[in-house]
Amino acid sequence: MHHRRHASPGPAGTDAARPRRHRRGRSRAVRFSLAFLALVLVVAGFGGWYVYHDVFGRMGSSRALDGAARSTDGATNILLMGLDSRKDQNGEDLPPAVLDKLHAGSSEIGGYNTNTLILLHVPAGGGRATAFSIPRDDLVDIPGFPRDKIKKAYGLAKAHHENVLAGRGGADHRALEQAGREAGRRAAITTVSQFLGVPVDHFAEVNLAGFYHLADSLGGVPVCLKHPVEDRYSGADFPAGRRTLDGAQSLAFVRQRHGLPRGDLDRTRRQQAFLASALHKLDSAETFTDPARLLRLLDAAKQDVVIDQGWDLPGFLRQAKNLSGGDVEFSTLPITGFAKHHGEDVNLVDPATIRRLVRERIGPGTDGKGPDEGPDKGAGGSAGPPAAGRSGASPSPGGAPRRETVEGGGVPCVD
């Protein structure tokens, strides 16, 4: 009988022993790698859940857009509203120390005016975005109220709704504040949407304290001034040239109108330049790719920012990475003159021209029809003839509308 000979294993370290030990080691390495990957995925999943529920879940949300018309072509229109309010989200006065740092005066000043109104249009599939600034003193139709400055739509509706609810009884101060703000948001959004002839898909609202916190969380924002400025009202006191502003200085920069050649219109350009610079800072600091930086920014946002419920903000932040590269143009919507309305200075506007300009730049609204058909009550109406310009401001020669732009992607120099 012949016996098959089996090779006996050699001593440790010999070539005969190496293949089996190598396979066992490789198997352990694969198992360890898979386990480590699973752990990373679990941690990442928990981290994503935590970020979403802690940051976005605690950010103020609103149902003011419920039932509103939306864009149907894949584009997104976002209304940015800056409240000149010295109150917190519950209607309580900001602490005196905060007001002093903001150089904002008494908590009773400002009311609930939307001193910043910017419609950001993000085209479907990416591409160049456009931001339209609406001067706060434009005389427009406000649904449910007499014509007035566009900045007043929020405050008028808020006060009216609170009075109605208070008359019914049973609502405490905080509940009245929240209900009133929702009415204010709906009124501001509807007024802007009808004035421009386009739907509003999302919105973000921030007050003075929120602006301060957001600017500080960026580590300062670079700006560029053509001339030195000093204004005791806003607290702006800056030399000419480029400099980086902290939160309080940034607020003074965008609020200044006294001493500027064209008053409020130059303040609008300040707001545009600040946003362009902030987007540039976001890109240069790689905020969207640095989780720690992004969390600091979002942590500041959840204190004082309100967005519409249902807005996929994480998704938009991924899209915003493209905007921060400078692919955005800021435009100021034109006025035709100035007038007095119930004793107040207002801007005269031509709604038909405004809507046509917006449609030419971004396309029609949801229904594709021109919303400027019929008589234009907002072009002058009862306001009377154009009055002399205020704060050194003046409309275009001959009253012709003039579009002004600030390019994104850098640090624009302004007055």
Side-chain angles (χ1 to χ4, degrees):
M1 182 180 292
H2 299 282
H3 297 279
R4 182 175 298 172
R5 297 180 61 188
H6 297 277
S8 60
T14 64
D15 289 342
R18 189 170 294 125
R20 185 176 298 171
R21 183 166 297 175
H22 176 71
R23 287 193 297 271
R24 286 199 300 269
R26 183 171 60 189
S27 178
R28 282 196 299 270
V30 169
R31 288 196 300 271
F32 176 79
S33 298
L34 291 175
F36 180 75
L37 177 60
L39 178 63
V40 168
L41 291 174
V42 169
V43 172
F46 175 78
W49 179 89
Y50 173 80
V51 168
Y52 186 87
H53 286 273
D54 179 66
V55 177
F56 299 111
R58 291 173 59 188
M59 190 177 294
S61 65
S62 164
R63 304 185 69 93
L65 279 174
D66 286 5
R70 304 298 177 97
S71 297
T72 57
D73 58 356
T76 304
N77 295 326
I78 303 165
L79 181 61
L80 308 177
M81 297 192 295
L83 280 184
D84 196 33
S85 171
R86 280 74 164 166
K87 309 277 187 179
D88 64 15
Q89 292 297 329
N90 296 315
E92 304 296 338
D93 293 346
L94 295 174
V98 174
L99 289 173
D100 183 63
K101 187 175 292 187
L102 300 181
H103 204 86
S106 164
S107 61
E108 300 306 316
I109 298 175
Y112 287 88
N113 291 330
T114 51
N115 279 354
T116 300
L117 287 169
I118 299 177
L119 186 83
L120 176 66
H121 173 79
V122 183
R128 190 172 184 78
T130 302
F132 298 100
S133 289
I134 307 171
R136 65 175 188 162
D137 290 340
D138 284 2
L139 182 62
V140 302
D141 291 324
I142 301 176
F145 298 90
R147 289 197 311 128
D148 214 323
K149 297 179 180 182
I150 195 168
K151 70 177 183 180
K152 291 186 178 183
Y154 190 115
L156 288 172
K158 177 181 183 296
H160 174 74
H161 192 66
E162 288 178 3
N163 288 336
V164 171
L165 292 180
R168 298 173 183 170
D172 61 19
H173 169 73
R174 181 169 294 191
L176 285 175
E177 178 72 15
Q178 296 302 320
R181 287 201 177 197
E182 283 289 83
R185 290 163 189 146
R186 284 191 293 270
I189 292 167
T190 302
T191 300
V192 169
S193 179
Q194 292 185 6
F195 179 47
L196 303 188
V198 296
V200 172
D201 302 298
H202 298 294
F203 81 91
E205 170 194 303
V206 63
N207 62 10
L208 293 182
F211 185 94
Y212 166 81
H213 291 139
L214 289 170
D216 255 6
S217 70
L218 288 174
V221 175
V223 301
C224 177
L225 283 169
K226 297 177 182 177
H227 312 286
V229 296
E230 183 176 0
D231 174 35
R232 66 183 179 89
Y233 296 98
S234 65
D237 186 2
F238 311 122
R242 294 170 62 102
R243 61 181 289 122
T244 297
L245 307 182
D246 62 21
Q249 293 170 328
S250 296
L251 190 60
F253 175 79
V254 298
R255 290 182 66 235
Q256 183 186 0
R257 63 187 175 93
H258 297 281
L260 298 181
R262 299 183 308 140
D264 263 347
L265 299 183
D266 277 336
R267 174 158 71 171
T268 298
R269 288 177 63 80
R270 290 277 191 93
Q271 295 169 357
Q272 296 169 354
F274 180 86
L275 285 175
S277 297
L279 288 171
H280 178 71
K281 178 70 178 284
L282 286 171
D283 186 55
S284 61
E286 299 182 341
T287 303
F288 292 111
T289 58
D290 185 330
R293 288 179 184 270
L294 185 57
L295 276 177
R296 283 197 298 272
L297 179 64
L298 293 174
D299 194 57
K302 71 184 180 185
Q303 299 180 59
D304 303 288
V305 175
V306 176
I307 62 174
D308 58 282
Q309 192 173 73
W311 187 4
D312 177 18
L313 198 54
F316 179 73
L317 287 176
R318 291 190 294 270
Q319 186 180 28
K321 176 64 177 67
N322 298 325
L323 298 179
S324 67
D327 204 13
V328 58
E329 180 184 58
F330 296 89
S331 299
T332 302
L333 293 174
I335 66 173
T336 59
F338 304 107
K340 288 286 186 180
H341 183 70
H342 298 312
E344 294 184 330
D345 293 321
V346 297
N347 301 328
L348 297 178
V349 293
D350 181 355
T353 298
I354 295 291
R355 294 163 184 158
R356 183 169 60 251
L357 184 152
V358 171
R359 287 202 307 276
E360 288 172 353
R361 300 286 302 283
I362 68 175
T366 53
D367 58 5
K369 295 186 296 184
D372 56 339
E373 296 173 358
D376 292 311
K377 297 183 291 181
S382 62
R390 56 193 182 277
S391 302
S394 62
S396 307
R402 174 175 60 188
R403 193 187 81 226
E404 299 176 335
T405 62
V406 172
E407 295 293 330
V411 184
C413 286
V414 293
D415 287 318

